């Protein structure tokens, strides 16, 4: 992407332009912790473009939906059916893409 200045933006620069209106009442992604704990592959740790899935010291998965790009990648790569319950955020909440 070429902004008006003519300089190419890095991925970090592009993500810095993204605005999030976080729904503090209702998360749009829920993890089924029992299924997640039995997953040996854990592709969500590597596939999420926003890096929202992290490994805890106890070996579990921690997740923060606040920076979700709403791409659905986590749901697609998850090998455990039903482990990730993903829906779009409520109206006026979620990600708002902006371009520089």
């Amino acid at each position: 992407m070429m902004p008006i200045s003519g300089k190419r933006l890095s991925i970090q620069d592009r993500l810095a332009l993204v605005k999030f209106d976080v729904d503090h009442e209702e998360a749009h992604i829920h993890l089924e912790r029992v299924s997640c704990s039995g997953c040996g592959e854990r592709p969500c740790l590597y596939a999420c473009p926003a890096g929202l899935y992290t490994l805890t010291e106890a070996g579990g998965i921690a997740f923060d939906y606040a920076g979700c790009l709403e791409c659905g990648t986590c749901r697609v790569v998850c090998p455990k059916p039903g482990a990730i319950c993903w829906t779009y955020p409520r109206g006026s909440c979620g990600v708002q893409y902006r371009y520089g």
Side-chain angles (χ1 to χ4, degrees):
M1 169 162 63
M2 294 288 282
I4 295 170
S5 67
K7 180 183 173 192
R8 288 196 174 269
L9 296 178
S10 69
I11 295 295
Q12 291 80 15
D13 292 335
R14 291 179 193 188
L15 288 175
L17 294 173
V18 175
K19 180 182 173 203
F20 299 95
D21 185 8
V22 179
D23 187 347
H24 295 286
E25 296 177 25
E26 185 178 331
H28 68 285
I29 297 177
H30 300 277
L31 301 181
E32 212 301 323
R33 301 284 178 185
V34 175
S35 293
C36 287
S37 66
C39 180
E41 300 168 14
R42 299 185 172 164
C44 57
L45 293 174
Y46 312 103
C48 176
L52 299 180
Y53 292 84
T54 56
L55 193 60
T56 66
E57 288 184 19
I61 300 283
F63 173 72
D64 179 13
Y65 71 95
C68 181
L69 299 173
E70 299 174 26
C71 64
T73 300
C74 58
R75 178 182 54 173
V76 172
V77 300
C78 182
K80 301 277 188 171
I84 297 176
C85 178
W86 188 98
T87 59
Y88 285 104
R90 291 185 307 141
S92 78
C93 294
V95 67
Q96 296 174 14
Y97 293 99
R98 300 180 295 173
Y99 300 98

